[in-house]
Every structure is written in C-alpha cells, then in structure tokens.
C-alpha cells in the first residue's frame, strides 16, 4: 500500500520509463502506446474532476475531446492546404503551431462546456447523463454530415504540428511533449481539488442543499468545474490529433464517452489520478487481450463488472492506503 | 439592557403545496437577544416555514423582513450572506470530510469563485483557532480529525449546529437541534443556547418541551399551518388550546 503522492509519482515515472525502454530497444510502438496512455489519462483525469469530485456523470465528454480534436485538425488542415477560413472580421489561414492549436482547442471546448454545462447542470442523476449524451450525439452527427472536413471518413492532417524547433515526428519527442502537458494538467487539477473551490465541490457532491446554506451556489461551482474539465479534455483531444494525424467522428461518439468513463471506473474515481492508472490498464488490456482474443472487449466487460462489484474504488483503491 | 430590535419579521405568510395549506397567514417577529421557539405537531409546517425564511422556498403571499429589509426577492444565498443561517432537521454534514474540515467549509465560504479557486483549503492560525473555539463550544474539540460520517448521532447533531455557528450568524434558525440527544447532551446544549442567545437571536423549532420551556423567551404554536397561540412560556403552558392540539393535556 502506498500513499497517494507516491502512487502518482510511480505511475507517472512508470509511463515515462516504459516509453524510454521503447526508445532504447528501438520499439517505437511502445512509445506510441505510452503517448496514448498519457493522452487518454489526461482526458480521464479531467472527467474525474467532475465525475469523482463533483458527482456529475457526464456521458458526453467525447464531445469536448472531439471538439478539441476537430478544432486542432481543422486549423492544421487549413495551414497545410493554404485555403483560408473567412471569419467575417479577418481571414484565418490555419496554423501549424501546436501551442496555438492547443489554445484554440481549449478555447472552443471551454465555450462548448460552458453552453452545454449551463443547461445540463440544471438536471442531475440520470437526466444529467442523458442530456450530456444528447449534446454529444448532436456534435457527432454534425461531424458526420460535415463533408467539407471529411464527414464520416474523417480528416487527415498528414504531418504533426510544430512546437518551437523540436522534431515532433520523432515518437520520443512527441511523447515528451504530451508528458509535459500531463505534468501541467496534473499541477492544475491538483491545485483545483486542494483549493477551497475543490472542497466545496466535494461538498456539493454530498449535499447541495447544505452548500447553499453555507452561502455557496452549487450551480456556479459545478459549472466552473465542468468548464475546467471540458477545457482539459479538449486539450487531450488536440494532442490525440497530433498523435494520429487524423480525426474522425468516432472521437465524438458515445463509445468514446463510454471509454472515458471506463478509465475512471477502472482506475477509481476517489483519487484524482486514478484514471491515469485506468488508462494504463485499459491500453494494456486492449493490447494484450487483443492479441490473445478477438473479443477482448467482452473480457474487458467482465473485468469491469468484477471491479464495480468487488473494488468500487478501482485499481488505485487497491494500491493507495486511506 | 440593549435596545430591542426586530431582526426577523414575517407578516401574512401563506403557502400551499397543491391543495395542502402549510402556512396560513403566519405573522411573527424575532427580536434581538431573544429565543423565539416554534412548536407544533409533526407535519404542522415548521420546516417549511424555516425554508421560507431562509429563502429555499418562496411564500405564495406575505412579506419576509430581515434586518429591516424586505428580502422576498433575495435568493437563499444572498440571505445567508446577510447573516440568516439555518441548521437542518436531518444532520447534513459532509460525511467524507473530517470534523475540522466541515467547520472550515463554513469559515471559508466566499462569494467569488475565483477567490476560492486561488486559495488553498488550509486554515491559517486565526482560522484554526476560531474553528477550535467553535468545536470547544460544543465539546467536539477532541474529534477534530475524525471523519464526520463515523461520528455518533449526537455528535453529528452538534457538528450540524457548529457549522451554523461558524457562519457567524446575525440570526440563527435551528430545526430540532435536540432531536436524538441524550439527557446529558440536552442539558449541555440548553446551557450553550442560553449563552448564544445573548449574542444572536435564535428561531428554534423543537419538540423537546423541556428544552423549549428552559430556553424560550417567546413561544408560538403552529398547527396545520396556522399559529394557534403565541406568547410567554407561562401563557403557552396554561393555554387550553395548545394542550388540546399538541401537548396532550398533561402538562
Ligand atoms: N416539497 C413539498 N411538496 C409537497 N408537500 C410538502 C413538501 N414539503 C413538505 N410538504 C408537506 O407539508 C407539510 C408540512 O411539512 P413540514 O416538513 O414543514 O412539517 P414539520 O412541521 O417540519 O414536521 P416535522 O415535525 O415532522 O418535522 C407536511 O404535510 C408535508 O408532507
Ligand atoms: Mg420539520
């Protein structure tokens, strides 16, 4: 049993070591796996802020992931083919700069989180789940019909965006970039849950009426958390585009939303960085079960059921002592 | 003797849930340095009345005046920031947090989300001494590090009250704080409320008649949404109407 701090450190260093091993033994696929873990981990932790700490089960978080992806991809796409987007006040030429595309992705997903959150947070429980799902499905079908950007077939960006003068096409370099993002996200989320805000958010999860009697508005608290979560998920989406150099409506689908929830359940919602472990378990299962059997998703289901029944605190709950 | 000031005033409050009348033309005042008790049988509408004072519910008719200002249009949160603080009939502490953290929530409440985001949930020395002072008042000081969900029923009731006190109320609305306390705890709480009512007016809903008679400066009796009697402890004790409706005639 470990303390939470040690747990976080070991997980993060473990992921880093895994990708270094891949580099040393010249197995770039390992590095790609590690990168995928980092990106999905970022999204899972962001979801956990509202799910585990705010009690809001968003079944539409793929929306923010996908919006981040599409925004970054569209910007990269335009910068590549030189076609401008007429934005009334100015023409936007797209950008091949990672930092700028991340920024766009975060701004857009924040904006959507604000709109979707301000409506969804009026509800709770099953209604909240359904309404977030409905919003996400709307964006999904929109992307399917948006043939300008590939529609159902998705959109390829061919090369990775640039960051300073780093060669982002080298797997290890891109991994380190994502890893740095993870560290920043770690810092931000840690800050948020240890702030007064984070503790009132936990209070809201247990008893909103009580929080109101303490002079706090649960609605604004939850909406703020929702927007922070959406923004970080959008960043993960933008990173995912650079990893795959491709985006498709799948990133907005309810299956993706479900996968994000699976990361949280696997890893454990009680600990902020549980989903990072969830991402490790998920990716490794996908990888190794997937090699053994075609029906790896079936076995994933079995594992999930067992975890929910016997380890409701997820895998991290087995490792971290209270 | 400090001057008597009306801190809370209700006039002509009416409220229906569907066709059930839970408040019928209720008028009452709570004066500084006074404890005004509201008694009445189950389902009389007592908790509903507290909710209309706190702002959780809006009355269908009538005026709520708090510290000389009509507050009908103010939200519950705005009323809390004006010093109108309530406790709940069912202990609603945050079970996953420690006793200390529960009180700290009450100390740290701020209007601005940004201010809350940029401050750590940690007490400085003056805050932590204030928290312990509050815990001390309710003899909870040895339980500071205990997780709230593991407290005994009586200690949960006390923590509920402690959270309200830590809000530094200008008026305190208490919904059956004695429910489920044993004899010794009750007598202690009576002493505590006696000292507190000198500092802030209290509107107390209570079934425990021993506590009410020991504490109240004024008692109102609610029955089926209607105040059927109001006055001093002596007057209520003697009232035939009250005995029939509520006290069962044996006091
Ligand atoms: N939200 C609501 N909708 C409909 N009816 C309600 C609602 N809240 C309370 N009631 C009804 O109003 C009546 C008064 O309820 P209230 O909780 O105010 O009673 P009370 O005097 O506090 O009783 P107790 O001593 O049991 O706490 C009850 O008949 C209750 O069933
Ligand atoms: Mg009641």
């Amino acid at each position: 049993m470990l303390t939470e701090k040690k747990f976080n450190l070991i997980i993060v260093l473990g992921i880093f070591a895994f990708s270094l091993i891949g580099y040393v033994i010249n197995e770039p696929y390992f590095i790609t796996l590690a990168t995928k873990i980092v990106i999905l981990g970022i999204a899972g932790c962001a979801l956990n802020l509202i799910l585990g700490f705010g009690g809001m089960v968003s079944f539409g978080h793929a929306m923010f992931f996908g919006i981040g992806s599409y925004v970054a991809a569209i910007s990269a796409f335009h910068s590549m083919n030189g076609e401008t987007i007429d934005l009334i006040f100015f023409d936007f030429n797209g950008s091949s700069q990672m930092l700028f595309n991340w920024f766009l992705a975060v701004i857009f997903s924040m904006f959507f989180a604000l709109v979707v959150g301000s409506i969804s947070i009026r509800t709770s429980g099953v209604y909240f789940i359904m309404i977030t799902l409905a919003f996400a499905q709307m964006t999904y079908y929109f992307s399917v019909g948006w043939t300008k950007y590939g529609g159902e077939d998705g959109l390829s960006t061919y090369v990775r965006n640039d960051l300073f003068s780093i060669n982002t096409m080298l797997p290890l370099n891109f991994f380190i970039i994502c890893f740095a993002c993870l560290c920043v996200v770690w810092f931000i989320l840690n800050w948020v849950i240890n702030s007064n805000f984070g503790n009132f958010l936990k209070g809201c999860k247990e008893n909103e009426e009580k929080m109101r009697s303490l002079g706090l508005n649960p609605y604004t608290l939850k909406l703020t958390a929702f927007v922070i979560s959406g923004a970080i998920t959008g960043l993960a989406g933008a990173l995912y585009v650079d990893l795959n150099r491709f985006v498709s409506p799948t990133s907005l689908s309810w299956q993706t939303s479900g996968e994000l929830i699976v990361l949280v359940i696997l890893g454990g919602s009680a600990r902020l960085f549980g989903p990072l472990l969830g991402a490790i378990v998920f990716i490794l299962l996908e990888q190794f079960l997937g090699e053994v059997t075609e029906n790896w998703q079936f076995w994933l289901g079995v594992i999930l059921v067992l975890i929910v029944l016997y380890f409701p605190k997820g895998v991290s709950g087995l490792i971290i002592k209270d | 003797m400090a001057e008597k000031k009306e801190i809370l005033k209700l006039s002509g409050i009416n409220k229906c849930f569907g066709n059930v009348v839970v408040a019928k033309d209720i008028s009452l005042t709570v004066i500084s340095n006074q404890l005004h008790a509201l008694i009445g049988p189950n389902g009389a509408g007592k908790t509903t009345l507290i909710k209309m004072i706190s702002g959780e519910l809006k009355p269908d008719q009538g005026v709520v005046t708090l510290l000389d200002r009509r507050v009908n249009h103010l939200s519950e949160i705005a009323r809390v920031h004006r010093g109108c603080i309530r406790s709940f009939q069912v202990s609603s502490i945050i079970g996953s947090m420690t006793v200390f953290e529960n009180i700290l929530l009450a100390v740290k409440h701020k209007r601005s989300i940004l201010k809350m985001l940029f401050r750590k949930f940690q007490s400085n020395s003056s805050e932590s001494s204030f928290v312990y002072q509050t815990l001390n008042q309710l003899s909870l000081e040895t339980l500071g590090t205990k997780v709230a969900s593991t407290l005994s029923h009586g200690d949960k009731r006390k923590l509920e009250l402690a959270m309200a006190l830590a809000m530094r109320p200008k008026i305190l609305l208490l919904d059956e704080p004695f429910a489920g306390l044993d004899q010794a705890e009750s007598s202690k709480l009576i002493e505590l409320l006696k000292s507190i009512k000198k500092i802030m007016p209290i509107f107390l809903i209570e079934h425990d008649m021993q506590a009410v008679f020991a504490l109240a400066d004024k008692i109102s009796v609610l029955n089926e949404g209607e105040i059927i009697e109001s006055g001093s402890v002596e007057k209520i004790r003697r009232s035939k109407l009250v005995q029939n409706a509520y006290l069962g005639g044996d006091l």
Side-chain angles (χ1 to χ4, degrees), chain B residues 41-48 89-90 175-176 205 207:
Chain B
N42 290 106
K46 305 181 297 294
T47 300
T48 308
Q89 183 169 359
V90 179
D175 200 346
E176 302 194 23
I205 291 178
H207 276 303

Side-chain angles (χ1 to χ4, degrees), chain B residues 63-74:
Chain B
V63 179
V64 183
T65 313
L66 202 64
L67 298 161
D68 295 323
R69 192 171 152 204
R70 192 190 144 114
V71 294
N72 282 51
H73 61 286
L74 287 187

Side-chain angles (χ1 to χ4, degrees), chain A residues 112-124 127-128 131-132 135 138 219 223 226:
Chain A
F112 275 85
L114 186 66
V115 173
V116 169
S118 61
I119 296 166
S120 314
I121 290 168
R122 291 173 201 280
T123 68
S124 61
Y127 299 100
F128 184 83
I131 200 168
T132 46
F135 274 115
M138 279 160 62
Y219 180 80
L223 183 58
F226 195 84

Side-chain angles (χ1 to χ4, degrees), chain B residues 104-230:
Chain B
L104 197 57
L105 283 177
V107 174
K108 290 279 189 184
H109 78 282
K110 290 272 172 334
R111 263 167 192 271
S112 148
I113 292 269
L114 275 184
K115 270 190 193 148
M116 293 200 300
L117 257 175
F118 289 108
R119 295 270 189 291
K120 279 219 157 188
F121 189 62
Q122 266 171 358
S123 52
N124 59 32
S125 59
S126 76
E127 282 166 341
S128 101
S129 71
F130 175 74
V131 171
Y132 271 105
Q133 192 186 319
T134 311
L135 289 175
N136 247 320
Q137 284 186 306
L138 290 139
S139 4
L140 288 171
E141 66 279 1
T142 55
L143 300 176
T145 55
K146 238 185 145 183
V147 176
S149 62
T150 64
L151 293 179
S152 70
H153 173 82
D155 288 336
K156 282 183 182 163
R157 294 304 295 147
K158 289 196 232 166
L159 180 55
E160 172 78 26
L161 179 59
M163 286 177 87
L165 286 177
M167 296 288 290
R168 304 174 196 262
K170 297 218 169 66
I171 176 166
L172 191 55
L173 315 171
L174 300 178
D175 200 346
E176 302 194 23
F178 289 88
L181 295 190
D182 64 32
Q183 192 59 46
E185 287 171 323
S186 282
S187 338
K188 263 193 171 165
L189 186 54
I190 289 178
E191 289 317 306
L192 175 65
L193 290 182
K194 268 185 187 164
S195 67
I196 288 175
K197 75 174 188 180
K198 290 179 194 148
I199 310 165
M200 60 186 87
I202 300 176
F203 184 64
L204 172 74
I205 291 178
E206 192 47 65
H207 276 303
D208 180 338
M209 295 313 292
Q210 190 200 343
V212 169
F213 288 149
L215 281 166
D217 300 292
K218 191 171 179 186
I219 302 177
S220 295
V221 184
L222 194 69
N223 191 30
E224 295 180 5
E226 214 173 347
I227 294 199
I228 55 171
E229 193 74 272
S230 190

Side-chain angles (χ1 to χ4, degrees), chain A residues 259-278:
Chain A
E259 271 177 27
L260 293 179
I261 294 182
V262 166
L263 301 183
V264 176
I265 295 172
L266 272 178
S269 63
R271 307 289 171 173
L272 186 54
F273 294 99
L276 193 54
L277 180 57

